[in-house]
Amino acid sequence: MLNSLSSLQLDYIRVWFLVQHSITSFYKIKQHYTHLAEATQPDQIETWQKLGIHKNHIQRLRDFHLPESQLQFQHCVALIQKDSDFILTFDHPDYPTQLLPYCNKPPILFGQGDAQILLQPQIAIVGSRKPSNHGRQVAYDFAYYLSEQGFYINSGLAQGIDEAAHQGALQHNHTIAVMGTGLDQTYPSQHQQLRQQILDHSGTVITEFLPGTAPLQQHFPRRNRIVSALSLGVIVAEAALKSGSLITAKWAAEQGKSIFAIPGHIYSEHHQGCHQLIREGAILVDHPEQVIEDLALPTQWQTQQHSEQASKIAPLNTQPVLPAYLSILYNQLDWMGQHLDELVTQQQLDVATLTSQLMELELLGLCTQQAGLYLRCRPGK
Protein backbone atom coordinates (compact mmCIF):
# COMPACT_ATOMS: atom_id res chain seq x y z
CA MET A 1 0.00 0.00 0.00
CA LEU A 2 1.26 3.48 -0.93
CA ASN A 3 0.84 6.22 1.65
CA SER A 4 1.12 8.98 -0.92
CA LEU A 5 1.76 9.64 -4.59
CA SER A 6 4.24 12.19 -5.94
CA SER A 7 2.98 15.06 -8.06
CA LEU A 8 4.74 13.53 -11.09
CA GLN A 9 3.05 10.15 -10.53
CA LEU A 10 -0.32 11.92 -10.31
CA ASP A 11 0.40 13.78 -13.56
CA TYR A 12 1.10 10.47 -15.32
CA ILE A 13 -1.97 8.81 -13.84
CA ARG A 14 -4.19 11.76 -14.83
CA VAL A 15 -3.15 11.60 -18.49
CA TRP A 16 -3.26 7.78 -18.53
CA PHE A 17 -6.79 7.98 -17.06
CA LEU A 18 -7.95 10.48 -19.71
CA VAL A 19 -6.50 8.63 -22.72
CA GLN A 20 -7.80 5.28 -21.39
CA HIS A 21 -4.51 3.40 -21.78
CA SER A 22 -3.83 4.69 -25.32
CA ILE A 23 -0.05 4.49 -25.69
CA THR A 24 -0.06 6.56 -28.89
CA SER A 25 -2.05 9.40 -27.34
CA PHE A 26 -0.01 9.35 -24.13
CA TYR A 27 3.33 9.72 -25.91
CA LYS A 28 2.01 12.46 -28.23
CA ILE A 29 1.00 14.43 -25.14
CA LYS A 30 4.19 13.63 -23.20
CA GLN A 31 6.36 14.74 -26.12
CA HIS A 32 4.50 18.05 -26.50
CA TYR A 33 4.40 19.24 -22.90
CA THR A 34 7.49 20.16 -20.88
CA HIS A 35 5.43 19.77 -17.71
CA LEU A 36 2.78 17.05 -17.92
CA ALA A 37 0.63 18.85 -15.33
CA GLU A 38 -0.21 21.47 -17.98
CA ALA A 39 -1.68 18.83 -20.31
CA THR A 40 -4.86 18.26 -18.28
CA GLN A 41 -5.82 21.92 -17.75
CA PRO A 42 -9.27 22.89 -19.14
CA ASP A 43 -7.76 25.28 -21.71
CA GLN A 44 -5.77 22.51 -23.48
CA ILE A 45 -8.59 21.12 -25.62
CA GLU A 46 -7.47 22.97 -28.75
CA THR A 47 -3.88 21.78 -28.26
CA TRP A 48 -5.05 18.17 -27.95
CA GLN A 49 -7.00 18.62 -31.20
CA LYS A 50 -3.89 19.91 -32.98
CA LEU A 51 -1.91 16.93 -31.64
CA GLY A 52 -4.42 14.59 -33.27
CA ILE A 53 -5.66 13.09 -30.01
CA HIS A 54 -8.77 10.91 -30.44
CA LYS A 55 -12.08 12.73 -30.04
CA ASN A 56 -13.15 10.40 -27.19
CA HIS A 57 -10.08 11.40 -25.20
CA ILE A 58 -10.72 15.08 -25.90
CA GLN A 59 -14.29 14.66 -24.64
CA ARG A 60 -12.94 13.11 -21.45
CA LEU A 61 -10.69 16.16 -21.00
CA ARG A 62 -13.72 18.43 -21.47
CA ASP A 63 -15.61 16.53 -18.77
CA PHE A 64 -12.65 15.97 -16.47
CA HIS A 65 -13.17 18.98 -14.21
CA LEU A 66 -16.85 18.26 -13.66
CA PRO A 67 -17.65 16.99 -10.13
CA GLU A 68 -18.71 13.53 -11.34
CA SER A 69 -15.48 12.98 -13.30
CA GLN A 70 -13.38 14.24 -10.41
CA LEU A 71 -15.06 11.79 -8.05
CA GLN A 72 -14.39 8.97 -10.51
CA PHE A 73 -10.73 9.94 -10.77
CA GLN A 74 -10.29 10.27 -7.00
CA HIS A 75 -11.79 6.79 -6.57
CA CYS A 76 -9.27 5.45 -9.12
CA VAL A 77 -6.38 7.11 -7.24
CA ALA A 78 -7.60 5.70 -3.93
CA LEU A 79 -7.63 2.17 -5.40
CA ILE A 80 -4.13 2.66 -6.81
CA GLN A 81 -2.84 3.65 -3.38
CA LYS A 82 -4.66 0.76 -1.71
CA ASP A 83 -3.52 -2.00 -4.10
CA SER A 84 -0.04 -0.88 -5.23
CA ASP A 85 3.26 -1.41 -3.46
CA PHE A 86 5.06 0.62 -6.14
CA ILE A 87 4.42 2.74 -9.24
CA LEU A 88 7.08 3.06 -11.95
CA THR A 89 6.90 5.75 -14.63
CA PHE A 90 9.16 5.18 -17.63
CA ASP A 91 11.55 7.95 -16.53
CA HIS A 92 11.89 6.49 -13.00
CA PRO A 93 15.35 4.99 -12.19
CA ASP A 94 13.74 1.67 -11.15
CA TYR A 95 11.71 1.30 -14.36
CA PRO A 96 12.79 -1.97 -16.06
CA THR A 97 15.60 -1.11 -18.46
CA GLN A 98 14.57 -4.04 -20.69
CA LEU A 99 11.43 -2.11 -21.71
CA LEU A 100 13.10 1.22 -22.53
CA PRO A 101 14.14 0.51 -26.15
CA TYR A 102 10.55 -0.06 -27.30
CA CYS A 103 8.30 2.74 -28.56
CA ASN A 104 5.22 0.96 -27.17
CA LYS A 105 6.63 0.55 -23.65
CA PRO A 106 4.04 1.10 -20.90
CA PRO A 107 4.31 4.70 -19.64
CA ILE A 108 3.43 3.51 -16.13
CA LEU A 109 3.54 0.21 -14.25
CA PHE A 110 1.54 -0.55 -11.12
CA GLY A 111 2.97 -3.35 -9.02
CA GLN A 112 2.86 -5.48 -5.91
CA GLY A 113 5.92 -7.10 -4.35
CA ASP A 114 9.52 -6.05 -4.99
CA ALA A 115 10.09 -3.65 -7.92
CA GLN A 116 13.83 -4.52 -8.03
CA ILE A 117 13.01 -8.04 -9.19
CA LEU A 118 11.89 -6.62 -12.55
CA LEU A 119 15.54 -5.84 -13.33
CA GLN A 120 16.59 -9.47 -12.82
CA PRO A 121 17.25 -11.84 -15.79
CA GLN A 122 13.93 -13.30 -16.88
CA ILE A 123 12.71 -16.04 -19.21
CA ALA A 124 9.07 -16.14 -20.25
CA ILE A 125 7.15 -19.40 -20.41
CA VAL A 126 3.80 -19.24 -22.20
CA GLY A 127 1.35 -21.61 -23.84
CA SER A 128 -2.14 -23.00 -24.04
CA ARG A 129 -4.83 -22.24 -21.48
CA LYS A 130 -6.10 -25.82 -21.94
CA PRO A 131 -2.92 -27.87 -22.17
CA SER A 132 -2.42 -31.60 -22.10
CA ASN A 133 -1.10 -33.27 -18.97
CA HIS A 134 2.24 -33.56 -20.76
CA GLY A 135 2.29 -29.81 -21.53
CA ARG A 136 1.63 -28.85 -17.92
CA GLN A 137 4.39 -31.13 -16.73
CA VAL A 138 6.93 -29.80 -19.24
CA ALA A 139 6.12 -26.17 -18.34
CA TYR A 140 6.53 -26.98 -14.64
CA ASP A 141 9.81 -28.86 -15.24
CA PHE A 142 11.34 -26.10 -17.38
CA ALA A 143 10.30 -23.40 -14.89
CA TYR A 144 11.62 -25.43 -11.96
CA TYR A 145 14.98 -26.04 -13.63
CA LEU A 146 15.52 -22.51 -14.98
CA SER A 147 14.47 -20.84 -11.72
CA GLU A 148 16.90 -23.11 -9.89
CA GLN A 149 19.64 -21.67 -12.13
CA GLY A 150 18.77 -18.14 -11.04
CA PHE A 151 16.35 -16.98 -13.74
CA TYR A 152 13.02 -15.39 -12.91
CA ILE A 153 10.15 -17.02 -14.77
CA ASN A 154 7.81 -14.47 -16.26
CA SER A 155 4.26 -15.37 -17.37
CA GLY A 156 0.72 -14.03 -17.59
CA LEU A 157 -1.10 -15.67 -14.63
CA ALA A 158 -3.48 -17.40 -17.08
CA GLN A 159 -4.82 -20.93 -16.74
CA GLY A 160 -2.85 -23.87 -18.07
CA ILE A 161 0.79 -23.38 -19.08
CA ASP A 162 1.16 -19.98 -17.34
CA GLU A 163 -0.13 -21.50 -14.10
CA ALA A 164 2.23 -24.50 -14.32
CA ALA A 165 5.20 -22.22 -15.07
CA HIS A 166 4.47 -19.98 -12.08
CA GLN A 167 4.09 -23.05 -9.84
CA GLY A 168 7.40 -24.55 -10.98
CA ALA A 169 9.27 -21.27 -10.40
CA LEU A 170 7.59 -20.77 -7.02
CA GLN A 171 9.68 -23.67 -5.74
CA HIS A 172 12.70 -21.35 -5.93
CA ASN A 173 10.90 -18.04 -5.19
CA HIS A 174 11.62 -16.80 -8.73
CA THR A 175 8.48 -15.78 -10.59
CA ILE A 176 6.82 -12.63 -11.97
CA ALA A 177 3.22 -12.28 -13.17
CA VAL A 178 2.07 -9.69 -15.73
CA MET A 179 -1.67 -9.06 -15.54
CA GLY A 180 -4.22 -8.03 -18.16
CA THR A 181 -6.45 -6.23 -15.64
CA GLY A 182 -6.03 -3.65 -12.89
CA LEU A 183 -4.45 -4.73 -9.59
CA ASP A 184 -7.86 -4.53 -7.91
CA GLN A 185 -8.91 -7.83 -9.49
CA THR A 186 -7.47 -11.20 -10.45
CA TYR A 187 -8.19 -12.95 -13.74
CA PRO A 188 -9.04 -15.76 -13.75
CA SER A 189 -10.55 -15.33 -10.29
CA GLN A 190 -9.54 -18.85 -9.23
CA HIS A 191 -5.89 -17.73 -9.45
CA GLN A 192 -6.21 -15.39 -6.48
CA GLN A 193 -4.43 -17.97 -4.32
CA LEU A 194 -1.66 -18.41 -6.91
CA ARG A 195 -1.23 -14.64 -7.09
CA GLN A 196 -0.92 -14.47 -3.30
CA GLN A 197 1.60 -17.33 -3.33
CA ILE A 198 3.73 -15.39 -5.82
CA LEU A 199 3.77 -12.40 -3.48
CA ASP A 200 4.37 -14.57 -0.41
CA HIS A 201 7.38 -16.17 -2.14
CA SER A 202 9.27 -12.95 -2.94
CA GLY A 203 7.67 -12.54 -6.39
CA THR A 204 6.18 -9.57 -8.19
CA VAL A 205 2.85 -8.86 -9.88
CA ILE A 206 2.59 -5.95 -12.34
CA THR A 207 0.14 -4.35 -14.76
CA GLU A 208 -0.07 -1.26 -16.94
CA PHE A 209 -3.85 -1.08 -16.45
CA LEU A 210 -5.69 1.20 -14.05
CA PRO A 211 -8.02 -0.16 -11.34
CA GLY A 212 -11.45 -1.11 -12.65
CA THR A 213 -10.03 -2.38 -15.95
CA ALA A 214 -11.99 -5.48 -16.92
CA PRO A 215 -10.35 -8.60 -18.44
CA LEU A 216 -11.28 -7.68 -22.02
CA GLN A 217 -9.97 -9.82 -24.88
CA GLN A 218 -7.86 -7.02 -26.40
CA HIS A 219 -5.96 -6.49 -23.14
CA PHE A 220 -4.15 -9.83 -23.24
CA PRO A 221 -2.09 -9.26 -26.43
CA ARG A 222 -1.03 -5.95 -24.82
CA ARG A 223 0.01 -7.80 -21.69
CA ASN A 224 1.96 -10.28 -23.83
CA ARG A 225 4.21 -7.57 -25.27
CA ILE A 226 5.36 -6.78 -21.71
CA VAL A 227 5.91 -10.46 -20.90
CA SER A 228 8.21 -10.86 -23.91
CA ALA A 229 9.92 -7.46 -23.58
CA LEU A 230 10.94 -8.12 -19.98
CA SER A 231 12.48 -11.47 -20.91
CA LEU A 232 15.75 -12.63 -22.46
CA GLY A 233 13.82 -15.26 -24.38
CA VAL A 234 10.34 -16.76 -24.69
CA ILE A 235 9.59 -20.47 -24.35
CA VAL A 236 6.34 -21.68 -25.91
CA ALA A 237 5.70 -24.88 -23.97
CA GLU A 238 2.58 -26.04 -25.78
CA ALA A 239 0.27 -24.24 -28.19
CA ALA A 240 -2.44 -24.97 -30.73
CA LEU A 241 -2.37 -23.16 -34.07
CA LYS A 242 -4.68 -20.36 -32.88
CA SER A 243 -3.21 -20.06 -29.40
CA GLY A 244 -2.78 -16.59 -27.89
CA SER A 245 0.76 -17.58 -26.94
CA LEU A 246 1.69 -17.29 -30.63
CA ILE A 247 0.95 -13.57 -30.26
CA THR A 248 3.58 -13.45 -27.52
CA ALA A 249 6.00 -15.20 -29.88
CA LYS A 250 5.18 -12.62 -32.56
CA TRP A 251 5.91 -9.78 -30.13
CA ALA A 252 9.15 -11.53 -29.12
CA ALA A 253 10.23 -11.78 -32.78
CA GLU A 254 9.53 -8.08 -33.35
CA GLN A 255 11.51 -7.25 -30.20
CA GLY A 256 14.47 -9.33 -31.36
CA LYS A 257 14.11 -11.90 -28.58
CA SER A 258 15.02 -15.58 -28.79
CA ILE A 259 11.98 -17.82 -29.25
CA PHE A 260 12.09 -21.42 -28.06
CA ALA A 261 9.45 -24.02 -28.89
CA ILE A 262 9.03 -27.42 -27.28
CA PRO A 263 7.92 -30.05 -29.81
CA GLY A 264 5.29 -32.68 -29.19
CA HIS A 265 3.35 -35.50 -30.81
CA ILE A 266 2.89 -34.83 -34.53
CA TYR A 267 -0.81 -35.80 -34.39
CA SER A 268 -1.61 -33.70 -31.33
CA GLU A 269 -3.47 -30.44 -31.93
CA HIS A 270 -1.95 -29.22 -28.63
CA HIS A 271 1.47 -28.97 -30.29
CA GLN A 272 0.68 -27.68 -33.79
CA GLY A 273 1.44 -24.07 -32.79
CA CYS A 274 4.89 -25.05 -31.50
CA HIS A 275 5.62 -27.01 -34.67
CA GLN A 276 4.57 -23.99 -36.76
CA LEU A 277 6.96 -21.77 -34.76
CA ILE A 278 9.80 -24.25 -35.33
CA ARG A 279 9.12 -24.21 -39.10
CA GLU A 280 9.28 -20.40 -38.93
CA GLY A 281 12.67 -20.43 -37.22
CA ALA A 282 12.04 -20.85 -33.48
CA ILE A 283 14.68 -22.87 -31.64
CA LEU A 284 13.60 -26.44 -30.88
CA VAL A 285 14.36 -27.38 -27.26
CA ASP A 286 13.65 -30.55 -25.33
CA HIS A 287 15.64 -29.70 -22.18
CA PRO A 288 15.84 -26.39 -20.29
CA GLU A 289 19.64 -26.47 -20.31
CA GLN A 290 19.48 -25.91 -24.08
CA VAL A 291 17.74 -22.58 -23.44
CA ILE A 292 20.63 -21.45 -21.24
CA GLU A 293 23.17 -22.63 -23.81
CA ASP A 294 21.41 -20.86 -26.68
CA LEU A 295 21.17 -17.62 -24.72
CA ALA A 296 24.94 -18.02 -24.06
CA LEU A 297 24.67 -16.50 -20.62
CA PRO A 298 26.90 -16.99 -17.59
CA THR A 299 24.56 -18.47 -14.98
CA GLN A 300 24.69 -20.32 -11.69
CA TRP A 301 24.53 -23.71 -13.34
CA GLN A 302 28.01 -23.20 -14.87
CA THR A 303 29.76 -22.72 -11.54
CA GLN A 304 31.94 -25.33 -9.89
CA GLN A 305 29.54 -25.59 -6.99
CA HIS A 306 26.62 -26.40 -9.23
CA SER A 307 28.68 -28.92 -11.19
CA GLU A 308 29.23 -30.80 -7.96
CA GLN A 309 25.52 -30.64 -7.15
CA ALA A 310 24.49 -31.64 -10.66
CA SER A 311 25.94 -35.12 -10.26
CA LYS A 312 23.38 -35.67 -7.50
CA ILE A 313 20.44 -34.52 -9.59
CA ALA A 314 18.94 -36.97 -12.06
CA PRO A 315 18.39 -35.43 -15.52
CA LEU A 316 14.78 -34.94 -16.59
CA ASN A 317 14.77 -37.92 -18.92
CA THR A 318 16.37 -40.40 -16.52
CA GLN A 319 14.28 -43.54 -16.08
CA PRO A 320 14.37 -45.52 -12.84
CA VAL A 321 15.50 -49.14 -13.01
CA LEU A 322 12.36 -51.23 -13.46
CA PRO A 323 11.67 -54.94 -13.69
CA ALA A 324 11.63 -56.04 -17.34
CA TYR A 325 7.86 -56.62 -17.38
CA LEU A 326 7.18 -53.08 -16.12
CA SER A 327 9.77 -51.49 -18.44
CA ILE A 328 8.02 -52.99 -21.47
CA LEU A 329 4.67 -51.54 -20.40
CA TYR A 330 6.17 -48.17 -19.36
CA ASN A 331 7.85 -47.81 -22.76
CA GLN A 332 4.51 -48.54 -24.43
CA LEU A 333 2.82 -45.64 -22.64
CA ASP A 334 2.92 -42.17 -24.18
CA TRP A 335 2.05 -38.59 -23.19
CA MET A 336 -1.24 -38.57 -25.09
CA GLY A 337 -2.90 -41.49 -23.31
CA GLN A 338 -4.22 -44.89 -24.40
CA HIS A 339 -7.33 -46.89 -23.58
CA LEU A 340 -7.00 -50.13 -21.63
CA ASP A 341 -8.17 -52.18 -24.62
CA GLU A 342 -5.40 -50.68 -26.80
CA LEU A 343 -2.82 -51.67 -24.22
CA VAL A 344 -4.30 -55.18 -23.91
CA THR A 345 -3.88 -55.66 -27.67
CA GLN A 346 -0.35 -54.23 -27.76
CA GLN A 347 0.93 -56.06 -24.68
CA GLN A 348 -0.96 -59.31 -25.40
CA LEU A 349 -1.84 -59.64 -21.72
CA ASP A 350 -5.09 -60.44 -19.97
CA VAL A 351 -6.92 -57.48 -18.40
CA ALA A 352 -6.23 -58.54 -14.80
CA THR A 353 -2.47 -58.78 -15.32
CA LEU A 354 -2.33 -55.51 -17.25
CA THR A 355 -4.33 -53.53 -14.66
CA SER A 356 -2.10 -54.94 -11.92
CA GLN A 357 1.01 -53.72 -13.76
CA LEU A 358 -0.54 -50.30 -14.43
CA MET A 359 -1.30 -49.99 -10.75
CA GLU A 360 2.35 -50.75 -9.92
CA LEU A 361 3.46 -47.99 -12.32
CA GLU A 362 0.97 -45.57 -10.77
CA LEU A 363 2.34 -46.32 -7.30
CA LEU A 364 5.84 -45.59 -8.62
CA GLY A 365 4.59 -42.27 -10.01
CA LEU A 366 5.30 -43.34 -13.59
CA CYS A 367 1.73 -43.62 -14.86
CA THR A 368 -1.53 -41.76 -14.36
CA GLN A 369 -5.10 -42.27 -15.47
CA GLN A 370 -7.18 -39.42 -16.88
CA ALA A 371 -10.64 -39.70 -18.43
CA GLY A 372 -10.19 -43.43 -18.98
CA LEU A 373 -6.78 -43.01 -20.63
CA TYR A 374 -3.45 -44.22 -19.23
CA LEU A 375 -0.59 -41.72 -19.62
CA ARG A 376 3.12 -41.84 -18.96
CA CYS A 377 4.45 -39.61 -16.13
CA ARG A 378 7.84 -38.01 -15.80
CA PRO A 379 10.05 -40.00 -13.39
CA GLY A 380 10.24 -38.27 -10.04
CA LYS A 381 7.06 -36.23 -10.54
Side-chain angles (χ1 to χ4, degrees):
M1 182 173 178
L2 292 168
N3 293 325
S4 61
L5 300 174
S6 71
S7 57
L8 183 63
Q9 287 173 332
L10 280 169
D11 292 341
Y12 270 75
I13 293 167
R14 225 176 261 115
V15 176
W16 198 227
F17 176 83
L18 289 174
V19 301
Q20 288 294 278
H21 307 118
S22 169
I23 290 170
T24 306
S25 291
F26 183 94
Y27 284 119
K28 279 182 182 178
I29 293 165
K30 180 73 173 71
Q31 191 171 8
H32 179 79
Y33 291 93
T34 306
H35 302 291
L36 208 52
E38 298 170 15
T40 54
Q41 295 303 312
D43 60 355
Q44 294 304 303
I45 290 168
E46 189 178 336
T47 305
W48 280 36
Q49 289 171 334
K50 288 177 181 175
L51 290 173
I53 304 302
H54 194 280
K55 62 181 182 180
N56 291 350
H57 304 152
I58 293 172
Q59 187 59 51
R60 285 175 66 82
L61 177 60
R62 278 197 184 96
D63 298 339
F64 185 57
H65 295 277
L66 298 174
E68 186 181 343
S69 293
Q70 281 296 300
L71 277 173
Q72 190 182 15
F73 179 68
Q74 291 306 323
H75 178 64
C76 177
V77 170
L79 286 175
I80 289 170
Q81 286 186 260
K82 174 178 170 286
D83 293 319
S84 304
D85 293 328
F86 61 86
I87 295 174
L88 301 176
T89 54
F90 76 88
D91 49 6
H92 191 282
D94 288 338
Y95 186 89
T97 52
Q98 310 95 294
L99 302 180
L100 291 175
Y102 307 112
C103 60
N104 65 354
K105 59 185 172 288
I108 189 165
L109 288 171
F110 306 98
Q112 294 177 332
D114 183 359
Q116 292 295 315
I117 287 172
L118 298 173
L119 300 168
Q120 296 300 312
Q122 297 168 47
I123 295 174
I125 298 181
V126 299
S128 171
R129 282 181 167 81
K130 297 179 179 178
S132 67
N133 187 56
H134 168 60
R136 278 183 180 276
Q137 192 164 26
V138 165
Y140 182 98
D141 286 347
F142 269 61
Y144 183 97
Y145 187 98
L146 290 167
S147 62
E148 188 178 37
Q149 313 314 312
F151 292 101
Y152 277 81
I153 301 302
N154 179 337
S155 202
L157 202 67
Q159 289 175 295
I161 295 298
D162 288 17
E163 178 186 7
H166 286 308
Q167 288 171 338
L170 272 173
Q171 307 310 308
H172 299 107
N173 301 335
H174 270 52
T175 192
I176 295 166
V178 184
M179 293 173 51
T181 65
L183 288 177
D184 59 323
Q185 56 192 295
T186 301
Y187 182 81
S189 57
Q190 59 264 39
H191 281 182
Q192 180 58 44
Q193 185 180 357
L194 174 60
R195 175 180 171 177
Q196 191 57 51
Q197 285 176 327
I198 291 170
L199 295 173
D200 291 344
H201 289 76
S202 307
T204 303
V205 176
I206 60 167
T207 184
E208 68 178 322
F209 295 110
L210 293 163
T213 304
L216 302 178
Q217 188 175 358
Q218 64 266 28
H219 292 165
F220 297 101
R222 283 186 60 148
R223 174 203 63 190
N224 293 349
R225 88 188 191 287
I226 301 174
V227 168
S228 58
L230 282 171
S231 306
L232 296 163
V234 175
I235 300 170
V236 183
E238 186 177 89
L241 277 174
K242 294 185 179 180
S243 169
S245 51
L246 300 189
I247 298 172
T248 313
K250 184 173 180 289
W251 279 120
E254 290 177 7
Q255 293 163 347
K257 306 287 183 175
S258 297
I259 304 166
F260 303 94
I262 300 172
H265 197 293
I266 62 170
Y267 295 122
S268 166
E269 63 180 27
H270 291 288
H271 298 96
Q272 294 306 307
C274 288
H275 296 164
Q276 177 68 28
L277 288 173
I278 292 165
R279 285 195 295 276
E280 292 172 355
I283 302 164
L284 185 157
V285 289
D286 58 19
H287 193 287
E289 192 172 308
Q290 295 162 352
V291 175
I292 298 172
E293 290 169 355
D294 275 298
L295 289 172
L297 294 166
T299 54
Q300 289 176 216
W301 75 281
Q302 292 170 309
T303 65
Q304 179 71 32
Q305 183 181 9
H306 186 269
S307 296
E308 291 167 2
Q309 292 173 344
S311 62
K312 303 172 188 175
I313 302 170
L316 292 177
N317 59 356
T318 297
Q319 221 174 281
V321 177
L322 289 173
Y325 68 94
L326 286 181
S327 293
I328 294 167
L329 177 56
Y330 178 75
N331 290 333
Q332 184 63 55
L333 296 174
D334 59 30
W335 305 110
M336 308 307 297
Q338 297 170 68
H339 287 286
L340 186 63
D341 53 0
E342 290 179 74
L343 293 169
V344 167
T345 303
Q346 291 157 354
Q347 294 290 304
Q348 296 183 333
L349 295 170
D350 60 86
V351 174
T353 303
L354 184 61
T355 52
S356 173
Q357 291 183 11
L358 287 166
M359 188 175 293
E360 285 186 71
L361 287 173
E362 282 191 68
L363 291 170
L364 289 168
L366 299 176
C367 168
T368 187
Q369 186 182 358
Q370 289 188 353
L373 299 176
Y374 289 91
L375 295 82
R376 176 185 293 206
C377 284
R378 178 84 62 194
K381 289 281 184 276

